[in-house]
Amino acid sequence: MTLPIYASPEQLMRDRSEYARKGIARGRSVVALKYADGLLFVAENPSATLHKISEIYDRIGFAAAGRYSEYESLRRAGIRHVDLQGYAYDRRDVSARQLANVYAQTLGAIFTEQVKPFEVELAVAEVGARPEEDQLFRLTYDGSIVDEPRFLVMGGQTDPVVSKLKEVYVEGSALAEAFAQAVQGLKAGLSNGAELGKLEVAILDRHRPGRAFRRITGAELDALMPANGDGAKEQDKQAQGEDKGAKQATADKKEPGKAGEADKGRQAGDGQGE
Amino acid sequence: MEQPQAGPLSPAYLSMSTSSFTEFLRAQSPDLLPGRRQLGDATSLQAPHGTTIVALTFSGGVAIAGDRRATAGNTIAARDLEKVYITDAYSAVGIAGTAGIALELVRLYAVELAHYEKIEGVALSLDGKANKLATMVRANLDVAMAGLAAVPMFVGYDTDAADPARAGRIISFDVTGGRYEERGGFHAIGSGSPYAKSALKKLYDPDADADAAVRTAVAALYDAADDDAATGGPDTVRRIYPQVVTITAEEGAVHVPEERIEAATEAVLDERRSAREARR
C-alpha cells in the first residue's frame, strides 16, 4: 500500500484558490455598478440565451462570471431559496443581504469540502427605495463576501477594467452615462486590437413597481451604445481629461455639460480619423 | 418542515431539475402546499365565501371584475375582499368559493408563474399557464369534496395570437380541474353568475374599447348584486366599488384605477335611475 502524498492544508487551499482563480479569469468580464435610478449590469456575452445576468426576486438581481453550469445551478438554487422564503413569509422579507449570506455559506462549504471548488464569482444586488439603500455584494469562489460601495468587476482581466472604472465612474450618473462608463471599463480589459463583443445588459430600476429587473436589448441597447471604433477611443481620452478637471467640482451638476463636451470631442475625433 | 435559513443551500436546491415551484415545494416543504389536509366533513363549517366574478373580452384585450363581498352563512364576512389578482404581466385570476382556499391557491399560482419565468428565462405560454392552474385546482379536489370548494377563472392576453384585437382569452375551471375555454367572449362564476351572465349576454360587445368593457363588467356585477344576496353591490357610503383588471398588449395586466371604476359605477347607476324615471 502506498501512502498518499502529504500536502499541507495551506498548500491545498492555495492550489484550490489558484485553480478557481484561473478558471474565472478565463472568461469575459462582467461589470455591475450603481447609478442614479438603481443598478446596471453589463456583461460581454456572445450568447443571447445563456445569460450571465438574471432576475432573482422583485428587487434583486444576479450576475456571474466563470463556469456556466456552476453559476447556473447557484442561480436556480437562489431563486428557489428566495421564492420559498417569500412564499412562507412575505415578499418584503426577502433581502439581498440574506441571499448573499446563503450564497457565501454555500460557496464556502463547496470550497472546503469538495475536491473541486466552484469556478465562479457572483454579484447579488438589490435596489432600494432611495440610492443610499441600494446594495451590491460580491461573492467569490471561497465564500468571501464583500459589500461594494460603487461598482464591481468580475471575470476575465479585471485589473485594467477596475482601474479604468476608478477613473471614469461618477456616482449618481444617469443610465446612459453609467452605461458609457461600464463600456469604457470593459474596453480597457480587451487585449490590443480586440473589439468588444455582444453585450448583455440589464438594470434594476428603482422606479418600476413590483419586479424591478429589466433587460435592455435590441433598439434600446443600440440607442445606449455610445459609439464605436476610433471615435469611442477619442471619447475615452476626452472623458478622462474632463474627469481629472472635474474632480474638485461637484460631480452631479457638471454632468450634462460634461457629457455634451465629450460628445463634441468624439465628433471631432471622427473627423480627424477620416 | 424545512424553513429557509441562513445556512448553506441544501444539495437538493442545487441539483433539482424542475422549473416548477409547486414541485419544489412538494419535495422541500410539503406542508406549505395547499390541499394536503386531513379533513372530515366541512359542510357545516361556515368559512367565508367569495362570490361573483365576471370576465369579458374587448377589442385588443380582456377585462375581469369581481365584487368585494365575502359571506359566511347569512352574515357578511368581508366588505372589501379582493378577489381579482394579477398573476403575471399578461394574466389575471378571479376567485370564487371558499375564500381561504382560493386565496392560498392564487398566491401559490402567482409565485409559480414568476418562478418558472425566472428559472427558464421565458414566461409560460398562455395555455401552459391555464393548464398549470387546472392541475392546481384538481389537487384541491379532496378539500372540495369535503365542502370547501374554490374555483378560479383565468383571463390572459395571448402575446402569440395572430390577431392582436382578439388576443384576450377567458378560461374557466370546474372543481375537478376541467378546463374550459370561453369562446363566447364573456363568462361569470360564483353565486351571482346566472344574473351576471344574463346581463353580459345583452351588453357584451366584442369590438368595444376598454372603458366600455369596464362599464359592462360593472353593470353585470350590479345586476348580480341586485338578485343575489351574496354578491355585494357598489357601496357609495364607504366608497367600496368592484375591482377590475384589464389586460392589453401595451399595458399588460393592470388594476383599473378606483376613480375610473367609481365613474363607471356612477354612469351605470345614472342609467338605471333615468330608465326608472322614464317608466313612471
Side-chain angles (χ1 to χ4, degrees):
Chain A
M1 198 186 120
T2 53
L3 279 169
I5 303 159
Y6 174 78
S8 68
E10 285 100 334
Q11 183 64 43
L12 269 178
M13 290 302 148
R14 241 195 328 269
D15 286 353
R16 282 185 191 175
S17 294
E18 198 178 320
Y19 176 81
R21 227 178 273 138
K22 268 187 194 159
I24 296 164
R26 222 173 283 136
R28 297 175 202 212
S29 300
V30 180
V31 172
L33 50 86
K34 295 182 181 174
Y35 76 101
D37 298 324
L39 290 117
L40 167 73
F41 303 96
V42 183
E44 203 187 343
N45 187 353
S47 166
T49 45
L50 303 175
H51 296 303
K52 290 186 174 180
I53 304 166
S54 158
E55 173 185 17
I56 293 279
Y57 210 62
D58 295 355
R59 319 301 284 173
I60 303 177
F62 169 99
R67 192 179 281 273
Y68 178 79
S69 63
E70 290 173 352
Y71 66 69
E72 174 69 5
S73 81
L74 283 169
R75 182 186 75 90
R76 285 167 175 254
I79 292 172
R80 287 182 180 126
H81 174 81
V82 294
D83 272 346
L84 182 56
Q85 176 96 1
Y87 183 68
Y89 302 111
D90 188 79
R91 297 193 82 81
R92 280 177 304 174
D93 297 316
V94 173
S95 71
R97 179 193 48 79
Q98 201 242 8
L99 176 67
N101 274 319
V102 168
Y103 273 144
Q105 299 278 335
T106 310
L107 284 166
I110 289 168
F111 182 72
T112 47
E113 287 161 19
Q114 294 190 6
V115 181
K116 182 194 123 25
F118 270 18
E119 299 158 68
V120 295
E121 199 161 326
L122 310 181
V124 173
E126 179 173 355
V127 60
R130 284 173 294 137
E132 308 87 83
E133 292 165 11
D134 291 351
Q135 292 167 32
L136 183 57
F137 296 102
R138 173 209 295 273
L139 284 308
T140 53
Y141 55 87
D142 58 354
S144 318
I145 173 168
V146 185
D147 187 346
E148 296 282 355
R150 305 192 299 164
F151 61 83
L152 66 77
V153 181
M154 311 180 293
Q157 300 306 314
T158 53
D159 290 345
V161 184
V162 171
S163 48
K164 184 77 198 176
L165 270 173
K166 271 189 186 146
E167 274 171 35
V168 298
Y169 180 79
V170 179
E171 241 165 85
S173 305
L175 176 60
E177 290 156 17
F179 180 73
Q181 292 158 12
V183 169
Q184 282 179 42
L186 286 176
K187 277 187 180 154
L190 297 172
S191 50
N192 280 344
E195 287 279 314
L196 196 60
K198 230 168 107 179
L199 291 183
E200 181 183 353
V201 183
I203 53 171
L204 282 169
D205 185 346
R206 193 187 322 288
H207 305 298
R208 255 168 92 87
R211 292 162 70 177
F213 183 88
R214 188 164 68 87
R215 287 187 192 284
I216 297 181
T217 51
E220 199 185 357
L221 179 57
D222 293 341
L224 270 183
M225 274 300 199
N228 39 26
D230 299 328
K233 270 183 202 158
E234 268 317 304
Q235 187 200 20
D236 281 4
K237 279 181 205 156
Q238 186 80 11
Q240 230 173 296
E242 287 288 333
D243 200 56
K244 277 173 193 152
K247 248 173 195 165
Q248 255 73 36
T250 45
D252 272 5
K253 287 187 180 165
K254 285 266 171 182
E255 265 311 287
K258 199 182 107 187
E261 280 170 45
D263 216 47
K264 274 178 223 154
R266 193 191 74 221
Q267 280 161 9
D270 275 344
Q272 280 162 15
E274 284 155 16
Chain B
M1 168 178 165
E2 185 180 335
Q3 279 296 349
Q5 61 228 333
L9 295 161
S10 88
Y13 280 50
L14 289 157
S15 61
M16 278 179 85
S17 60
T18 178
S19 310
S20 162
F21 184 66
T22 319
E23 292 303 318
F24 170 68
L25 272 190
R26 186 162 293 136
Q28 292 298 317
S29 270
D31 57 315
L32 287 176
L33 270 186
R36 287 177 56 99
R37 300 172 185 83
Q38 298 298 315
L39 287 166
D41 181 14
T43 40
S44 59
L45 186 72
Q46 290 200 337
H49 267 63
T51 39
T52 313
I53 304 288
V54 300
L56 69 158
T57 60
F58 54 87
S59 178
V62 60
I64 184 165
D67 73 309
R68 306 291 292 275
R69 181 171 293 177
T71 54
N74 63 341
T75 57
I76 292 171
R79 288 174 213 287
D80 56 356
L81 180 68
E82 298 191 350
K83 303 180 205 171
V84 179
Y85 289 87
I86 293 173
T87 45
D88 74 354
Y90 290 104
S91 72
V93 167
I95 49 171
T98 314
I101 307 274
L103 292 175
E104 186 183 28
L105 180 85
V106 73
R107 182 154 172 257
L108 176 60
Y109 182 63
V111 177
E112 172 79 34
L113 293 187
H115 188 81
Y116 182 95
E117 192 184 328
K118 286 187 288 188
I119 292 236
E120 291 298 322
V122 285
L124 278 167
S125 67
L126 189 121
D127 291 281
K129 290 177 199 169
N131 285 338
K132 184 67 216 178
L133 187 54
T135 343
M136 289 171 68
V137 174
R138 190 179 309 123
N140 203 43
L141 185 57
D142 288 347
V143 184
M145 296 285 276
L148 299 176
V151 185
M153 179 158 60
F154 174 91
V155 297
Y157 183 89
D158 190 352
T159 45
D160 304 326
D163 179 6
R166 296 277 169 269
R169 284 169 63 184
I170 303 168
I171 291 156
S172 66
F173 302 88
D174 66 27
V175 284
T176 62
R179 176 203 143 169
Y180 311 97
E181 175 109 31
E182 300 298 338
R183 293 176 212 281
F186 62 89
H187 193 64
I189 57 168
S191 63
S193 61
Y195 314 108
K197 240 190 269 182
S198 324
L200 283 173
K201 217 175 275 181
K202 311 286 190 303
L203 297 172
Y204 174 66
D205 172 11
D207 297 319
D209 61 6
D211 275 331
V214 169
R215 204 166 136 179
T216 304
V218 170
L221 284 174
Y222 182 84
D223 284 333
D226 210 18
D227 285 308
D228 174 40
T231 304
D235 187 338
T236 49
V237 176
R238 295 189 186 84
R239 297 168 70 92
I240 299 171
Y241 297 99
Q243 243 192 323
V244 190
V245 167
T246 58
I247 312 176
T248 54
E250 303 80 39
E251 291 190 323
V254 286
H255 279 284
V256 176
E258 202 157 286
E259 310 89 71
R260 270 176 65 196
I261 299 176
E262 193 173 342
T265 309
E266 288 301 333
V268 170
L269 292 179
D270 280 344
E271 198 181 294
R272 299 294 159 99
R273 266 186 223 116
S274 53
R276 201 174 142 72
E277 294 292 318
R279 254 180 277 139
R280 279 213 191 134

